[in-house]
Amino acid sequence: MIVTLTANPSLDRTVGLTGPLERGKVHRTERSTVDPGGKGINVARVLHAATTEVVAVLPANAGDPLLAALDEQGIAHRAVPTSGPTRNNITVAEPDGTTTKLNEPGTPCTGRTLGELHAVLLECAQGAAWTVLSGSLPPGVPESWYADLVGALRGLGCRIAVDTSERPLVALAERFPAAAPDVIKPNADELAQLTGADAHELESGAAAGDVGAVVDAGRVLVERGVGAVLATLGGAGAVLVTATGAWRATADDVTVRSTVGAGDSSLAGYLLAEQAGHPPDECLRLAVAYGTAAVTLPGTALPTPDSVDPSRVHVTDVHRRPRPLPSHS
């Protein structure tokens, strides 16, 4: 079983436009959908669609439309009562694939809710193969909470994946190696934030086919205790760095309809391959295949196995002499 924690869940409404978005203008929409959202819930949705046993842990009150949406999709969940309703996020999708997101901050999380979430997460993680900590933290939650959770989960035998950003990510890194997860999934900006690398260099190099700087940055995190660094690079694919090697994966060109949930789908694909016992390069292949499938779907739709084509993903070994980078402090 895989357990996901979404501390700041949402109901995601996607509005598809018939033309480009223009500020101050009236627009016609061609579709509108509502899905349960938040990064951990997105991971759970993809895993559930692949018939993997998964439980989503989240704060939400009885009767909240988010829980009804999870029930409708058949996703097992454990909800902890909180101080208010689930936030609503709005995604505006243009015909060319440009995506604009408007995210609410979320309901403040009180000490009681936080304590119950901690307890329920540890209860569900007993005997689980993986626990996934994903997304932003709602108002009122200490920035170091993910680091605290990693420490608490360490003794339960499950492996830990983390996908977050900004101050919670920095606070996690400040506690490496004690709080180093088994997998971390940064994008280029987050990888730069963690290692002191230059985000523009990471992105421009990858776009030009040179992922050496990404590999170097990933090795900094591995040396600090992280088991595997799955760095997602948008259209430039992804890089996986572990203690035993580094690999780059790119996919054949596709028509991008929405980028929402692509990173979450990549992480889910990686976990599916790892659960099946695949070697690291094949875990990366499936991660990129799932992320690529996600961007071809409208709005907040997420990939199912029949929409994923690993044969269109190309994986290469990356051999590079490490060069030192400043570690985060």
Side-chain angles (χ1 to χ4, degrees), residues 236-253:
V239 168
L240 179 66
V241 182
T242 73
T244 61
W247 301 265
R248 182 199 183 189
T250 57
D252 293 342
D253 290 340

Side-chain angles (χ1 to χ4, degrees), residues 188-189 192 197-207:
D189 286 337
D198 181 88
H200 176 72
E201 178 186 353
L202 298 178
E203 291 179 346
S204 62

Side-chain angles (χ1 to χ4, degrees), residues 46 232-238 249-267 269 284-298 301-304 307-314:
V46 176
T232 51
L233 304 167
T250 57
D252 293 342
D253 290 340
V254 296
T255 299
V256 176
R257 300 184 67 184
S258 172
T259 58
V260 176
D264 306 324
S265 298
S266 293
L267 179 55
L284 178 61
R285 185 188 304 277
L286 197 61
V288 171
Y290 264 88
T292 301
V295 302
T296 68
L297 300 172
L302 296 173
T304 58
S307 66
V308 175
D309 187 357
S311 70
R312 297 176 64 85
V313 176
H314 314 286

Side-chain angles (χ1 to χ4, degrees), residues 15 22 31 81 99 115 124 184 195 223 262 284 299 307 311 315:
V15 178
E22 296 182 63
R31 66 181 183 277
T99 302
C124 291
I184 195 166
T195 63
E223 289 168 0
L284 178 61
S307 66
S311 70
V315 181

Side-chain angles (χ1 to χ4, degrees), residues 202-216:
L202 298 178
E203 291 179 346
S204 62
D210 180 5
V211 295
V214 177
V215 172
D216 289 338

Side-chain angles (χ1 to χ4, degrees), residues 138-272:
V141 177
E143 295 168 347
S144 62
W145 194 50
Y146 280 148
D148 295 338
L149 289 177
V150 171
L153 290 164
R154 275 275 177 249
L156 300 184
C158 64
R159 283 171 289 175
I160 306 161
V162 178
D163 180 12
T164 188
S165 60
E166 300 176 349
R167 283 300 308 167
L169 180 65
V170 173
L172 180 75
E174 288 172 347
R175 300 259 292 272
F176 289 172
D182 297 278
V183 173
I184 195 166
K185 197 215 69 61
N187 59 27
D189 286 337
E190 293 155 358
L191 188 59
Q193 187 178 31
L194 284 169
T195 63
D198 181 88
H200 176 72
E201 178 186 353
L202 298 178
E203 291 179 346
S204 62
D210 180 5
V211 295
V214 177
V215 172
D216 289 338
R219 283 180 172 143
V220 169
L221 298 180
V222 171
E223 289 168 0
R224 296 179 63 196
V226 176
V229 179
L230 175 61
T232 51
L233 304 167
V239 168
L240 179 66
V241 182
T242 73
T244 61
W247 301 265
R248 182 199 183 189
T250 57
D252 293 342
D253 290 340
V254 296
T255 299
V256 176
R257 300 184 67 184
S258 172
T259 58
V260 176
D264 306 324
S265 298
S266 293
L267 179 55
Y270 177 91
L271 295 175
L272 287 169

